Amino acid sequence: MRRLSLSNRLALLFAACTAVVSLFAGVLFSRASEAHFVELDQQLLDGKLIGLRRALDDIQSSETESKLADELSRQADLSLRIIGSDGQRLYDSSDRLPKDLPRQPGLSTVSDDGTDYRVLNAPLFLDKPDSPQLTLLLDITHHQHFLQRMQHLIWLTVGLSALATALLGAWAARSGLRPLRRMSAVASGVSGQSLNARLPEAGMPPELAEMAHSFNAMLGRLDDSFQRLSAFSADIAHELRTPLSNLLTHTQVTLTRPRPIEDYREALHSNLEELQWMAQLVNDMLYLAKADHGLLMPKREPLELAEEADVLLEFFAPLAEDAQVKLSRDGSARMQGDRSMLRRALSNLLDNALRFTPANGEVRVKIIEQPTSLSLTVENSGEGISEDLLPRLFDRFYRADPARREGSSEHAGLGLAITRSIIRAHGGQIRCESDNGWTRFVIELPKGD
């Protein structure tokens, strides 16, 4: 069974609500009108009862019947029946009165042969237990017809109101949901070649404007991710093209003529370096792919960051001495983490800092411990990085130095991306700042248990 559209559901909901409200209001009005007529009839019958008792003070009087006729003539739709204390009918003002009438005192309503009566039973003499009983009958057929017409009008009003509300609700819902249809049209037209489409937010209702803003933000993220993916594929092709071309050319040249065994050995060693670099590139890409899918599961072991930093600084000391760069470390902290992964991240940062620190420069490692977290900073002196380049430093294959040639056998531009993945796997964040001749990478990590 086909499901109703949202517009039709809203229209039916509007119609149902209107019908219920109209019906409730109509029933209340009908009950109020009926109660009002009962109250009016009660007042009329009570007044007539007083007049009749006055006229019947002496029921044996010869003028009694004339008094009754005179009293009843003032109300054409009023009839009277008098029943004696022995149950015998003493008087009927009309021969068309119902034979059986209620005997209980008070007001009641009866119907007989298409005629409706309001009946009031009361004793003629209040102070006599064997007093005859007066039964006043008021013809209320016209009242009942009015109430029936009003009930029919109520049902007609309910039906017409529901129909009108359904039509107006469908129009209003369709008009109100027009932005959703535009959003659906834009979404259906989105592809890898049209991710720049956006929804207009200015003319939308506040409720849908927020949805349109979120939808546009999603398209922006998809566009950015798609562009990065396209650039990433191009970067991989560029990175692998040069070493593959080198391997192919070197092998072809080596095989052009017979050579001594040492020449073949040298060629194989040269090819081995290129293959090792390609293997490392592939391993780094697999490592990043695992990080993207949340598959990096760092160990949790107690670490003394000062000791870990000192080990790496000692490793890089010869390279720093050759480059005339001073290495230093300040502060200490303890945390729970994966030793090999954090060493790799810190090693990438130190290697990056040494490559961009000029002679007589300095590389510093600062560790600051806080109650629930810690901060580790690797900073180096030298030429700063432009503000607009800082957000891209952690992109894969991105190099801040435009002079670097593609396909180099080292520093493929994945070190900072791997470092960020390691830090995020530990629940931390990393950012880069560059000002006043210093560039610093700031890592914030939780201390763990």
Side-chain angles (χ1 to χ4, degrees), residues 188-210:
S188 62
V190 170
S191 65
Q193 291 73 35
S194 61
L195 288 174
N196 57 346
R198 297 294 184 271
L199 286 174
E201 302 178 23
M204 289 193 175
E207 297 83 0
L208 294 181
E210 183 177 355

Side-chain angles (χ1 to χ4, degrees), residues 352-362 379-387 389-390 393 400-403 432-441:
N352 187 73
L354 284 172
R355 286 190 294 115
F356 291 99
T357 302
N360 299 319
E362 186 177 358
E379 58 183 6
N380 66 282
S381 60
E383 185 178 354
I385 302 175
S386 175
E387 187 72 24
L389 297 181
L390 291 178
L393 289 180
D401 183 4
C432 181
E433 303 170 353
S434 184
D435 54 35
N436 300 325
W438 286 87
T439 299
R440 62 186 63 88
F441 289 86

Side-chain angles (χ1 to χ4, degrees), residues 357-405:
T357 302
N360 299 319
E362 186 177 358
V363 175
R364 301 172 181 170
V365 177
K366 294 183 178 180
I367 304 172
I368 301 175
E369 184 174 13
Q370 298 174 349
T372 59
S373 63
L374 59 90
S375 173
L376 189 151
T377 302
V378 178
E379 58 183 6
N380 66 282
S381 60
E383 185 178 354
I385 302 175
S386 175
E387 187 72 24
D388 57 339
L389 297 181
L390 291 178
R392 299 192 58 193
L393 289 180
F394 297 96
D395 292 349
R396 301 171 187 181
F397 297 113
Y398 179 75
R399 300 182 181 95
D401 183 4
R404 296 229 11 100
R405 64 183 180 88

Side-chain angles (χ1 to χ4, degrees), residues 9 34-35 54 109 115 124 175 233 297 324 341 345 381 398 405-406 438:
R9 291 183 185 184
E34 186 176 357
R54 187 181 302 114
T109 302
T115 303
L124 176 59
S175 300
S233 301
M297 304 300 293
Q324 300 180 6
M341 293 175 66
S381 60
Y398 179 75
R405 64 183 180 88
E406 63 181 23
W438 286 87

Side-chain angles (χ1 to χ4, degrees), residues 85 169 180 185 235 421 447:
S85 58
L180 286 180
D235 288 337
S421 298
K447 296 177 65 175

